[in-house]
Every structure is written in C-alpha cells, then in structure tokens.
Amino acid sequence: MWYYVQGVLALAMINVISVVGLAVFTGFTGLFSLGHAAFIAIGAYTAAISTYFYEVNFYVALLLGGLMAGLVSLIIGYPTLKAKLRSDYFAIATLGFGEAVRVILENLDITQGARGLPGIKVYSTFPVVLIVTLIVIYVARNFVFSRYGRMAIAVREDFTAAEMMGINLFKVRLRSLFFSAVCAGVGGGLFAHYISFIQPSMFTGVQSTMLTAAVVAGGMGSITGPIAAALIFAAIPEVLRVANMWRLVAYGFILVAIMVLRPQGIFGYKELSWKTFSGLVRKTSRAKGGAA
Amino acid sequence: MLLQTLVTGLAIGGIYALMAVGYSLVFSILNFSNFAYGAIIMLGSYIGYFSLVKFGVPFPVALVLTMAGASLLSFFNERIAYSSLRKRRAPSLYFMISAMGTSIFLENMVYATIGSSFMAYPEIFKQQSIRILGSSIGLLDLFAIIFSFVSIYVLHYFINNSRTGIAIRAASYDSMITQINGVNLSRLIGLVFVLAGALAGISGIFLGMKYMAYPTMGWITNKAYIAAVIGGLGSLPGAVVGGIILGILESLVSVYIASTFRDVFSFSLLIILLLFMPAGLFGKYLEEKV
C-alpha cells in the first residue's frame, strides 16, 4: 500500500515541479503559456538521452535537461517577448511552438521518433523526487520574494505603469519564462527516469493545458495554491480510479466553474502558510468558545 | 504540378478561412481568444456524421442540422461560460481560461460518451474529379472552396449591410457606446456566437468529410487560431487571407519538402510574421487595453 502511495506521490511531486515553474511565469507575469509540455519534453529527452546513450551521471543529466529547456525557451521567448505580443498572440505562439517541438521529436533519429525511448534506468526514487521538489519550491519562493519577483508582480498588475517605473518588461518576462522552462525541464528529467519510457505523444497540448489549469485553479500569483492544486489534481484520478474517462471532463468543468464562481482561484493571491492554519484554528476555537 | 498544389491548398485554405472567420468574429466583439471554438467545430463534425449516418438525411438537411446544432452549442457556451465574466468585466485572461475549460470539457465528454474511434463519413461526393486548366480537382474540394467562399461572402454582406451587422461592427469598435445607443449588447453577443457557431458547423462537416470525425480534431482547429493571428485577430478579411495563406503554404510544404514538417512550417510562419508585424497582416489590436 505504502509502495503504491509513494508512486502516486512521486508522480504528483514531479507534476508540482512543472506547475511551480509555470506559477512563477503565468501567475506572476500574467502571460499565458499553452506550450509548457514542450519544455517538459525537452528536459525529459535531454536527460534521458544523456543517461541512456552517453551514460552521464543522473544529476548532471537532470541539470542538462533543465538547462536545455531553458535555452530553448529563450529561442521562443526572445523574439515573442521582444515583440511585446499581446497575451492572446503569445498564447497561440506557444501553442504552435509546443506542437512544433512534438513534431520535431517525432522525426529526429536520436529520439527514435514516435516509438519513443524505452528502458531508461529508474533513478528517480521517492527521496530523490522529494528533495528535488523541495529545492525547486525553495528556489521559486526566493525568486518570487526577490526584487525580480516584485518586478514581475508589478508587470502583471499593470505593465504600462511598471514600464514607467523603469522596469524592463522584456527582461522580467524573459527571466520568468527561463525559470519556468528550467523547472519544467527538471520535472521532465525526473519523469523520464521515473517511468523509464518516454515518447513524444506523452507531451501534448492537453498536458500544457493541465499545467495551466493547476496554476489557475490554485490561484494566480500564489506558489502554494498551485502546489496544492497540482497535488489534488494528481490525487483525484487515483481516488476515482473507476471514473478515469471522466477525469478530464471534470477538470474542464472545474476550470469553467472556478472562472465563473471564484476567478481568483481556490487560494486567490494568498499564500498558504502556518499562519493560515493557525488563523483557521484560532477562528474555529473562538467559534467554539463563543458557543460555550 | 504547381497549379495542382495551389488548388489543393485553396480547398483546405477555404475551410481554414471559414474557421478563422468564426473565431475572429468572436474576438472582434469580446476581445479574447475563444479556445472553445475548436471543440464546437469538432462537435459540429459529429452532428454532421450522426445526422448523415444514423438518421440518413440527405446532405443539405445534414448541413442545416449541423449549422443549427453548432450554433446552439456556441450560444450556450457563451451563456454558461462567458456571460457572467462579461458582466463582471473580467480581464480577457479569465475568458481564455474559461474557454480552455469548455474545450477540455467538451472534448473529453466526447471521449467518455462516444469514444475515441474515427468516424468515417459516407461518400457523398464521388471520388471523381474534374479537370480544370490541366490540373484535377476533387468534387469535394471544389464544393468546399465554393461553399466556404459563398458563406464568407454572405456573412460579409450581412455585417456590412444589415442593421444588426452595423450594430456588430459598432460593438467591435466600442461596446460601451453601442450599448448607450440602444443596442441590446447581450442579445447581440448571443447572435455573434450563433453566427460563429454556424460557421463552425459548416467547417466541421467539411473537415469530417475530408479527415473523418474524432475527438482530437483539435490539432486541425488550432490552424484556425493560427490563420486568424496571421491575418490579424478581429479582422474578418484578415482571417480569410490568413486561412488561404496557411492552406496554400501547407500544401506547398507537403508536396515540395515533407508532409511531416508541415505543421512546423506553419508555426514558424506564424512566429516570424508576428516578429515583423506584431498585429498580424490586418490586425488593429496591437496593445491590450489596460
């Protein structure tokens, strides 16, 4: 039983890594990416190919995957962000980028095309995944609370005003995109070495949309909210194993319902912290005291 | 050979144009990317399939049924997923997410209920082809070209000459002032979604005849967004031009380079074009409203 829970948790945490990256990008700059599965794919393939064909150390391979995803994000990010595309255009450009990456992966020799790479060694054990996830969350937290994070928030709230305050829009956005792509790449590397088989059809636009869904449902502009949402999203299908087909139907429904009923997301702009919990405890105890 | 490629490109380009016009129409009024549009087209394709196969109605009736069904879906899509956002004056980001949710919902609803198998349309247009100027063109393609352009022209005429059309154009310019001048904006937006749904129905049935109906037709409806962005979001002539350019480019790449890289080329075209013309060819929305 514990073995099974561990497996579910490990996949959930791998998902969390990419979601945290995207939370930093979408939640803090307000730009929408529909192609982040491509960065996961690039990270997964780079790391897998490094350990599979070149027998690189696993941790080095993870970093390489993250770095490669980051570099590729500059290729798409530099021109599109430089041109200051409005968010719809940017979303569609990333959508196209994601599809293009998948087509290229399907047609390269080293990725073995659509057949995929089987037999990748399983290095992503539960403790490894846990530690990497914690590191990523810690770095993301520092990123958000740093000067860069504050600049990103300013850009999201009102980019014209932010620009007038002397913030370089392009730099802030590109930096956030780079960071999120590195996270996605690392997540992809872990993923490849966890389930030991990857093929291009695993990294579709649906996955990109799911990542964005987790960020939105968790609350844009929060780190802990999307983490909680990503964990919940990963846990629900396991609980409702029978309703596997209806899982995505429910996701779509939840997404619309959140937008209609609670557009700030489950947690809004707030961060979950010990304070939230202690606040909750205090409220409930006070309520009890009042009743007595 | 070249002429043949151009004609094939024009046939698929016509369908792209049809999809892009419907998508751009919604954009011009509500100023957001309706990502649910692809799912409406996909469902239109299924409605066409079921009315032709299960109910065995003749093609013109099936076409009308499909248009009506897709219009209805599109209308309810707006009423359920967007209208409360609209009343709250939510930023366009929220509309986009809501649209994405609708798209995921509808697509997977089809998966869960109908299944993922490919539904082949019965043969309505015989596989014969006509020879024009030394190149052969399939009857289906010819009909698709003619019908796409006729329906786009009808829409164009409606928007430019009817009172409602004037109201739509006015609302795409400034919806607030239009409302002050006595236009019922909520009804107008409903009508715009019905019109877009009708176009989705037509393109759905043609796509179904050309490529069969299946839940993930989304990859081809993505082309509608790309065509609309190439032409400039919100511009109807732009959407037509974008659709045709995309269709012709794709058939040129398929024939002269490699069909596997067709999509890579269309996406690269999109990105390169946006670098030089960030608003697309005929776009008027360069910056977002703050």
Side-chain angles (χ1 to χ4, degrees), chain A residues 112-148:
Chain A
Q112 300 188 0
R115 277 176 300 144
L117 285 174
I120 303 163
K121 287 209 180 73
V122 179
Y123 287 117
S124 309
T125 52
F126 184 76
V128 171
V129 174
L130 181 67
I131 291 167
V132 174
T133 311
L134 290 178
I135 294 173
V136 168
I137 293 174
Y138 180 72
V139 174
R141 181 197 160 275
N142 283 353
F143 184 85
V144 166
F145 287 138
S146 70
R147 236 178 113 231
Y148 303 125

Side-chain angles (χ1 to χ4, degrees), chain A residues 167-205:
Chain A
I167 293 173
N168 188 332
L169 271 188
F170 168 67
K171 266 192 190 166
V172 168
R173 285 175 168 168
L174 194 64
R175 201 180 282 130
S176 311
L177 178 65
F178 181 81
F179 179 80
S180 71
V182 171
C183 288
V186 170
L190 283 175
F191 177 73
H193 292 90
Y194 181 74
I195 63 165
S196 82
F197 168 68
I198 47 172
Q199 66 182 139
S201 61
M202 288 173 173
F203 309 101
T204 55

